[in-house]
Amino acid sequence: HSKEQGRNTYNFYTQKMNEDVARRLLIEEQLRAALEKNEFQVYFQPVVDLKRREVIGAEALLRWNNDVLGPVAPDEFIPIAEQTGLIVAIGRYVLEQAVTVAAGWRNEFLPSFRVAVNISPRQFRDVSLVTFIRELLERFDFPASGVELEITEGVLMTGHAMVDVALLDLSNMGVGISMDDFGTGYSSLSYLRSYPFDTLKVDKSFINDITLDQADLQLVSAAIAMGQGLGLKVIAEGVETEEQYQLLLEQQCDYAQGYLFGRPVPADEFEKMLMTGSKQLH
Ligand code: C2E
Ligand code: MG
Ligand code: MG
Ligand code: MG
């Protein structure tokens, strides 16, 4: 009986594994043609000044709607784009879209508008990343300080000297550098000391329970104090409720992002919000 069970378990796992491998391969195959087929869309989620409750900028978040697979979440396709190197071209597309759209918004609605773009480790192995960004900014006469590049400690863990050089070049240009998902990694603290960060984004897993869990609130409070003590601006990610907002206000957090203020939406929808002046939220 147990032998039978063992075999079934084995079959179950191999079947599951085969399905995972098949889906991965399909995603990879579809991803290769996705740029040409124009299947990507860059969404924008508001970043809000906590005290004034006003939009100061947005994070660009990539969306993919494939004709075979339907919508695929970034948490599923970004790692595959990363492993295959496709993220280099896709990442350039995101940067270009983000700066194009943000340049228009700076001119029309909000001269100080800042746009944040996520950059994967693999993109730093592209020798022309810095040149690409410099030329992109020149093309739109977009100030470097209007762009924030979000990296996770995964970028720094690669240990490539190229990453250090690129980050320093970008930082010297005036481009902002954010540490994304702060607190979820192993060595965020030591990296904060060694790299030219301007902004610290406290991961949403810490924000989730601040109204219920005293320990989480203490951690967030400490992260805010530490970030600000190092001269960084602090953004709270994943703010969903008014109660969380109030606590973060008490903790003097600088900025916030989350469903309470707005979900990621297509550029035209974001623009409507800026246009109707509802950049003053709630
Ligand atoms: P991230 O950079 O940490 O982005 C924040 C994620 O939290 C986004 O998920 C956003 O939609 C979600 N979020 C925002 N507010 C809330 C909230 O109040 N509650 C909850 N539950 N979630 C909230 P999304 O768009 O699915 O992206 C997931 C991750 O995929 C991103 O995490 C980022 O690491 C990666 N990603 C997305 N777009 C890009 C891109 O263009 N390039 C790269 N390299 N990575 C990207
Ligand atoms: Mg991010
Ligand atoms: Mg994050
Ligand atoms: Mg994340």
Side-chain angles (χ1 to χ4, degrees):
H1 179 76
S2 78
K3 212 179 208 171
E4 181 86 343
Q5 219 168 30
R7 191 177 310 131
N8 282 340
T9 309
Y10 174 78
N11 285 336
F12 175 77
Y13 282 119
T14 44
Q15 192 189 339
K16 172 84 173 79
M17 264 169 58
N18 288 336
E19 281 167 12
D20 288 352
V21 169
R23 179 164 170 90
R24 213 208 103 95
L25 285 173
L26 186 57
I27 288 176
E28 184 177 330
E29 185 192 329
Q30 292 301 314
L31 217 41
R32 286 189 190 281
L35 269 177
E36 280 162 48
K37 290 197 288 180
N38 222 350
E39 290 182 335
F40 290 116
Q41 217 185 340
V42 178
Y43 275 40
F44 295 86
Q45 183 180 35
V47 177
V48 172
D49 177 290
L50 219 70
K51 268 199 206 88
R52 296 168 355 130
R53 222 173 162 128
E54 273 180 14
V55 177
I56 57 123
E59 179 175 2
L61 292 159
L62 189 58
R63 295 293 177 261
W64 180 31
N65 195 352
N66 176 245
D67 55 357
V68 178
L69 293 153
V72 185
D75 283 328
E76 188 174 17
F77 74 79
I78 294 282
I80 298 172
E82 168 90 22
Q83 286 150 24
T84 53
L86 291 164
I87 194 67
V88 172
I90 296 171
R92 287 183 176 211
Y93 170 81
V94 176
L95 277 163
E96 186 152 6
Q97 289 292 308
V99 170
T100 305
V101 166
W105 293 341
R106 281 178 80 97
N107 290 333
E108 280 182 69
F109 307 108
L110 203 62
S112 58
F113 189 90
R114 305 189 75 195
V115 70
V117 179
N118 295 284
I119 308 287
S120 290
R122 180 63 179 78
Q123 292 177 263
F124 282 95
R125 280 163 49 202
D126 164 19
V127 285
S128 46
L129 174 70
V130 177
T131 306
F132 177 82
I133 292 173
R134 186 182 288 118
E135 287 175 359
L136 178 63
L137 297 178
E138 276 166 12
R139 174 145 59 95
F140 287 93
D141 198 18
F142 198 95
S145 61
V147 180
E148 191 94 22
L149 301 180
E150 299 193 359
I151 62 174
T152 57
E153 65 173 53
V155 169
L156 309 173
M157 268 165 40
T158 59
H160 279 284
M162 271 180 78
V163 175
D164 299 25
V165 172
L167 278 177
L168 211 59
D169 280 354
L170 289 162
S171 178
N172 288 336
M173 263 167 68
V175 170
I177 312 288
S178 289
M179 175 167 273
D180 204 352
D181 303 344
F182 179 75
T184 57
Y186 293 103
S187 32
S188 315
L189 282 184
S190 65
Y191 289 127
L192 269 188
R193 190 173 58 179
S194 336
Y195 288 91
F197 287 107
D198 303 279
T199 308
L200 189 153
K201 299 190 79 171
V202 180
D203 192 68
K204 56 179 176 291
S205 60
F206 293 98
I207 307 299
N208 259 341
D209 290 340
I210 51 170
T211 57
L212 312 168
D213 189 332
Q214 190 60 31
D216 281 7
L217 181 59
Q218 286 305 322
L219 286 171
V220 169
S221 165
I224 293 168
M226 189 196 58
Q228 290 173 345
L230 292 170
L232 314 185
K233 297 291 187 190
V234 180
I235 305 187
E237 293 191 297
V239 179
E240 295 183 353
T241 69
E242 190 60 39
E243 291 72 25
Q244 291 169 338
Y245 171 82
Q246 289 303 332
L247 279 181
L248 290 162
L249 202 58
E250 280 170 27
Q251 303 301 321
Q252 319 249 12
C253 190
D254 299 291
Y255 306 119
Q257 203 180 324
Y259 296 166
L260 177 64
F261 312 106
R263 291 183 180 254
V265 290
D268 54 350
E269 213 171 303
F270 195 96
E271 183 164 324
K272 270 184 214 139
M273 179 188 69
L274 291 174
M275 211 154 47
T276 58
S278 55
K279 67 175 194 285
Q280 179 86 51
L281 293 156
H282 303 276

